[in-house]
Amino acid sequence: TSTIPSPPLPRTTVFNYLFPASSAKAATDNYPKPNLNKVSYIDGITGQTLTREQTETKAKQLAVGLKKRGVKTGEVGCIFGMNSLDWVVACFGLQALGVVVSPANYAYTPSELLHQLSDSTSSLAFVQPALLPVLLEALKLDKSYSISPERIFLLCPKGEKPKDLQNKFESIEELLEESLSKDELNNVVQKYTDGLEKDTAYLCYSSGTTGRGKGVETSHHNVTSQIQAVNLVYEPQTGDDVILGILPFSHIYGLTVVLQQPLTYNGTIVVLPRFEEAPVLNAIQKYKITWALVVPPILIALLNSPNVKETTLSSLRGLQSGAAPLSSDLIQAFESRFPHIRITQGYGLTETTPVSHVMTLEEGQAHRGCIGRIAPTYQARLVDYESGKDCEKGERGELWLRGPSVMKGYWRNEEATKGVFAPGGWFMTGDVAVIDDQGYFSIVDRVKELVKYKGFQVPPAELEALLLTHPDVADVGVIGIWSKEQATELPRAYIVPRGGLSSISEKSKNELSTKIQKWVEGKVSNHKRLRGGVILIEAIPKSPSGKILRKDLRVLAKKE
Ligand code: AYL
């Protein structure tokens, strides 16, 4: 159990927590009074801003506009686009009305998007104009599921609607009802009633320990408890901090920690669509960004870039890395090149909303490579994977977590939910960890299928199912291989060619590998490409029950 006592946990919705009615007191003691005039969001490219008050007002205006178009509390709305101020308004507008937010990765292909749209039962969507073709293509793929054009809204100002779409789709700006009184705006907000905090706020998609992406049912209470808890440990917590908003808002890390949490300490978030060196470096200098939430490959990019001088990052005081392993070597290299910047690490999962382990900048110095200690409100166990017994000190075990920020379950998927919860309500993470004498955890292995490319999930089962449809593939197993240079895993497929390995010459083997690698590129989103290569083998190692023995594949990979 965390050594830090649990903070007060509010019973309210995320919207009412982040935007407490001006007449109401701030939600809790450890929540500074909201500063309505503070700029909360800056578009890092155009320089446009939203104050806290403007964000709240626009969200309510949007909620009224949605309501007028027949959208009701309890429906599910998808947001499909790169980070932008419109994304922010769409997210809070949906939440104000009590619509469940299901954010989709902007890199999705049509079939990947369709899976999330139809599985989540999304009945409306906000989409970045450039991605509209992907959405429309997705809707063509399944006749039994659809969203009518009147419920597809473009994430752009009215004046920026592409000409050919002028009359076909409304922009988010057209939905904003601007001539309403304060009362009319306040009345649209879903009122808190007893127990509402247990309702689902988000459906982010995660493959969990096995299979394809599943909707993670994150409740309002999961989110508010997470923010309350992590605010006790996380830095920064001051209104002077300017945050780099580069991580995708469609991922729980971006959604909770980057988009929402800084509102509770009156921080400013510089919103950027994706990691591209020039705009990121420009934004850091122009807006004097003090704090960045990153994934390890961003550290590598900053460290290796010839365009990053010591002075380029002079405003930055700290970096918090999470979502993927970060080695102490990399931390050390970064901190010796940029001695004024401190790095700390956090750990978590979509299923735990997300951060269950975290540390301060000072602790980060003394415990490089660790993921930190248990965050307030969470409880953890390390359990021997085979015997199911609690581990002795120093032994490796599967990390199990419990607490008010652990998800309700997987959306409409009782079987998958049962598969990840042990008796007593313990969520089994599928990660293997050790704990040291002072309570610091390190992640040392993974017992679930998951591969992570630059912090993004790559579900092996999804790639395997796809590869089995290729005419030259008889059998397949996908694993991640570690790239030190890029500080990430790379997805790799081991493939048994149809007709057997011995029937193919060395030259044709290379050709076939390249052919399959290219074929996959055209069918999956960028982060799922087989960057770790395609290796042809004689047979996929399997257990007697037919399960792929990924451990054995990993041993094979180490030998190469
Ligand atoms: P999901 N070190 C090693 N592996 C990690 C770490 C870490 N610090 N953080 C997450 N993972 C892996 O749902 C681990 O395998 O992430 C875990 O089961 O996309 C999986 O990623 C979860 O994948 C933070 C820290 C946000 C983490 C996060 C959220 C990650 C959500 C902020 O400070």
Side-chain angles (χ1 to χ4, degrees):
T1 303
S2 173
T3 51
I4 304 170
S6 184
L9 302 181
R11 305 215 167 264
T12 185
T13 60
V14 176
F15 190 84
N16 286 313
Y17 169 74
L18 293 175
F19 301 103
S22 37
S23 57
K25 269 183 17 145
T28 65
D29 305 343
N30 59 336
Y31 182 138
K33 202 170 159 37
N35 178 351
L36 297 183
N37 298 319
K38 184 76 197 285
V39 169
S40 295
Y41 301 97
I42 304 178
D43 183 315
I45 310 283
T46 66
Q48 270 181 309
T49 59
L50 282 176
T51 63
R52 184 193 190 88
E53 190 169 29
Q54 287 167 334
T55 308
E56 180 176 353
T57 305
K58 278 184 190 261
K60 291 174 182 171
Q61 290 172 338
L62 178 60
V64 174
L66 288 169
K67 198 173 175 180
K68 274 199 174 163
R69 285 158 183 80
V71 177
K72 295 197 176 61
T73 299
E75 291 193 54
V76 180
C78 177
I79 310 179
F80 181 46
M82 291 176 188
N83 294 0
S84 68
L85 297 197
D86 286 328
W87 205 111
V88 174
V89 173
C91 178
F92 287 131
L94 290 169
Q95 292 194 64
L97 190 59
V99 175
V100 178
V101 175
S102 182
N105 187 329
Y106 66 76
Y108 273 167
T109 62
S111 68
E112 291 166 348
L113 178 63
L114 175 69
H115 172 68
Q116 179 166 337
L117 283 172
S118 68
D119 185 80
S120 65
T121 64
S122 288
S123 52
L124 67 147
F126 283 93
V127 56
Q128 182 180 341
L131 297 179
L132 182 68
V134 181
L135 174 68
L136 297 179
E137 193 57 38
L139 294 176
K140 275 192 212 148
L141 296 176
D142 182 356
K143 296 268 176 294
S144 65
Y145 167 80
S146 78
I147 303 182
S148 67
E150 302 83 58
R151 279 175 162 246
I152 296 175
F153 309 110
L154 301 176
L155 288 167
C156 66
K158 192 176 169 192
E160 283 177 26
K161 262 207 295 190
K163 277 218 168 56
D164 54 324
L165 303 177
Q166 289 297 349
N167 302 319
K168 286 196 186 135
F169 301 97
E170 285 186 292
S171 70
I172 182 168
E173 197 187 351
E174 288 163 272
L175 266 70
L176 302 181
E177 291 285 335
E178 286 177 346
S179 56
L180 299 173
S181 69
K182 267 218 152 99
D183 276 353
E184 284 171 301
L185 287 176
N186 289 338
N187 286 343
V188 76
V189 178
Q190 185 190 24
K191 298 280 169 302
Y192 176 75
T193 50
D194 211 20
L196 193 59
E197 76 276 8
K198 295 192 195 109
D199 274 17
T200 301
Y202 311 141
L203 286 174
C204 291
Y205 272 66
S206 164
S207 60
T209 49
T210 181
R212 291 196 73 175
K214 294 173 273 290
V216 174
E217 272 197 88
T218 302
S219 73
H220 293 278
H221 198 58
N222 289 159
V223 180
T224 58
S225 303
Q226 156 78 186
I227 295 178
Q228 288 289 102
V230 176
N231 264 349
L232 294 181
V233 190
Y234 238 11
E235 292 164 73
Q237 289 177 352
T238 99
D240 295 332
D241 275 299
V242 183
I243 319 294
L244 179 69
I246 188 78
L247 298 179
F249 295 155
S250 55
H251 186 259
I252 193 80
Y253 191 177
L255 185 62
T256 306
V257 183
V258 186
L259 172 72
Q260 303 194 321
Q261 190 173 0
L263 284 179
T264 63
Y265 51 80
N266 291 313
T268 297
I269 302 126
V270 178
V271 177
L272 286 159
R274 62 169 150 189
F275 189 81
E276 273 179 311
E277 189 185 283
V280 169
L281 297 183
N282 186 34
I284 292 177
Q285 293 174 88
K286 184 164 176 197
Y287 300 108
K288 306 211 169 10
I289 289 177
T290 59
W291 182 265
L293 296 145
V294 298
V295 289
I298 295 184
L299 290 180
I300 293 269
L302 294 174
L303 189 60
N304 293 342
S305 166
N307 302 317
V308 180
K309 315 270 175 293
E310 277 67 15
T311 50
T312 316
L313 306 180
S314 60
S315 60
L316 264 181
R317 65 180 184 95
L319 286 160
Q320 163 93 33
S321 172
L326 175 64
S327 70
S328 47
D329 289 355
L330 177 53
I331 302 175
Q332 199 143 16
F334 197 94
E335 289 187 337
S336 51
R337 170 92 197 278
F338 306 104
H340 68 286
I341 304 178
R342 295 276 166 270
I343 296 179
T344 168
Q345 207 181 158
Y347 161 91
L349 308 91
T350 309
E351 288 84 344
T352 56
T353 318
V355 183
S356 66
H357 287 70
V358 66
M359 51 188 163
T360 62
L361 290 180
E362 270 159 37
E363 288 177 288
Q365 285 292 289
H367 302 274
R368 285 201 180 108
C370 295
I371 57 166
R373 290 190 283 186
I374 308 171
T377 78
Y378 290 86
Q379 290 182 299
R381 278 170 71 184
L382 291 181
V383 179
D384 183 275
Y385 196 64
E386 256 122 52
S387 69
K389 295 210 176 92
D390 285 284
C391 292
E392 299 292 327
K393 262 230 160 97
E395 279 178 8
R396 299 166 156 229
E398 188 187 7
L399 176 62
W400 290 11
L401 295 167
R402 191 160 76 171
S405 291
V406 173
M407 67 163 179
K408 290 163 67 172
Y410 293 115
W411 171 250
R412 303 167 80 203
N413 195 336
E414 217 171 295
E415 199 186 323
T417 306
K418 271 194 195 145
V420 293
F421 281 103
W426 290 97
F427 170 70
M428 303 183 280
T429 65
D431 290 313
V432 181
V434 288
I435 179 171
D436 72 11
D437 287 342
Q438 296 169 61
Y440 290 87
F441 286 72
S442 301
I443 301 293
V444 291
D445 200 0
R446 211 184 267 147
V447 283
K448 58 185 168 189
E449 282 177 7
L450 185 66
V451 176
K452 284 213 121 182
Y453 176 70
K454 299 195 171 178
F456 287 113
Q457 291 198 359
V458 182
E462 193 184 314
L463 283 173
E464 286 157 5
L466 172 69
L467 283 160
L468 283 175
T469 67
H470 190 285
D472 297 327
V473 174
D475 203 359
V476 55
V478 170
I479 58 163
I481 55 160
W482 183 250
S483 158
K484 196 170 171 214
E485 299 76 49
Q486 299 182 59
T488 183
E489 289 169 77
L490 306 173
R492 168 183 286 182
Y494 284 89
I495 282 176
V496 181
R498 199 162 288 283
L501 188 65
S502 49
S503 64
I504 308 177
S505 70
E506 275 312 309
K507 186 166 164 272
S508 324
K509 271 188 201 165
N510 286 337
E511 282 170 8
L512 182 59
S513 296
T514 314
K515 187 170 113 186
I516 294 175
Q517 212 171 358
K518 285 251 166 325
W519 179 82
V520 169
E521 270 180 31
K523 298 201 162 5
V524 296
S525 49
N526 184 38
H527 58 277
K528 294 180 192 163
R529 291 181 180 179
L530 293 172
R531 291 183 164 83
V534 169
I535 310 277
L536 304 183
I537 53 173
E538 230 152 281
I540 303 293
K542 290 200 177 148
S543 71
S545 65
K547 260 185 95 169
I548 298 171
L549 293 172
R550 287 169 215 280
K551 242 189 182 164
D552 293 3
L553 286 176
R554 279 190 222 134
V555 172
L556 258 183
K558 279 216 176 97
K559 282 192 195 143
E560 279 156 17

